[in-house]
Amino acid sequence: EVSSSRLSSAAEDQMRTNVIQEIMNTERIYIKHLKDICEGYIRQCRKHTVMFTDVQLNTIFGNIEDIYKFQRKFLKDLEKQYNKEEPHLSEIGTTFLQHQEEFDIYSQYCNYHHSACEELSTL
């Protein structure tokens, strides 16, 4: 009975490790995608004022730069809670709770998604 509970505990630790590592990796990749959009596409589009007006860019990209800024801070705080040696002991849940109200930033992005798609279709 003792060995099966240890095995169960080890399996639970491994499962928790897998979930936490997946969250961390997904957040890191997401930041890279946001960086590509903000520091790549948007920056280049702003240089070509003949092709895109500020209004068009604001409509298409919405508050993505604010989201990028928020997500960088969020990831930084997640990294502080991440235990590299024993990932299953990481306490990343507190980071989600600390930032829960800031996730409202996505409401604005989602609310304007239809407008962004319409604007893109006219280009």
Side-chain angles (χ1 to χ4, degrees):
E1 212 176 309
V2 173
S3 64
S4 68
S5 67
R6 269 194 229 147
L7 193 60
S8 171
S9 177
E12 287 176 9
D13 288 352
Q14 186 57 53
M15 194 174 354
R16 182 170 164 78
T17 292
N18 293 346
V19 169
I20 290 170
Q21 287 177 334
E22 178 68 24
I23 290 169
M24 298 302 294
N25 291 335
T26 300
E27 287 297 321
R28 291 177 188 126
I29 291 167
Y30 182 50
I31 290 290
K32 287 178 186 174
H33 290 300
L34 289 172
K35 181 179 181 179
D36 288 345
I37 292 167
C38 295
E39 296 180 14
Y41 296 114
I42 295 175
R43 186 175 289 165
Q44 289 303 313
C45 289
R46 285 194 177 122
K47 289 180 182 177
H48 301 283
T49 54
V50 175
M51 293 176 68
F52 306 102
T53 66
D54 284 340
V55 172
Q56 286 175 316
L57 292 177
N58 288 337
T59 302
I60 293 166
F61 293 105
N63 63 338
I64 196 90
E65 291 168 303
D66 295 332
I67 289 172
Y68 177 44
K69 183 179 177 183
F70 160 66
Q71 286 296 150
R72 285 192 326 240
K73 171 80 171 103
F74 179 68
L75 178 60
K76 185 178 176 184
D77 291 347
L78 274 179
E79 297 282 5
K80 288 178 189 172
Q81 297 299 322
Y82 181 62
N83 183 333
K84 289 178 184 151
E85 288 75 33
E86 297 179 280
H88 66 282
L89 298 178
S90 300
E91 295 184 13
I92 63 171
T94 57
T95 305
F96 283 90
L97 293 173
Q98 289 166 352
H99 290 280
Q100 65 184 347
E101 290 178 13
E102 294 168 86
F103 278 99
D104 285 348
I105 198 166
Y106 283 95
S107 293
Q108 181 183 346
Y109 184 81
C110 293
N111 288 337
Y112 290 101
H113 183 259
H114 182 72
S115 299
C117 291
E118 283 181 355
E119 186 66 39
L120 279 171
S121 71
T122 66
L123 297 178

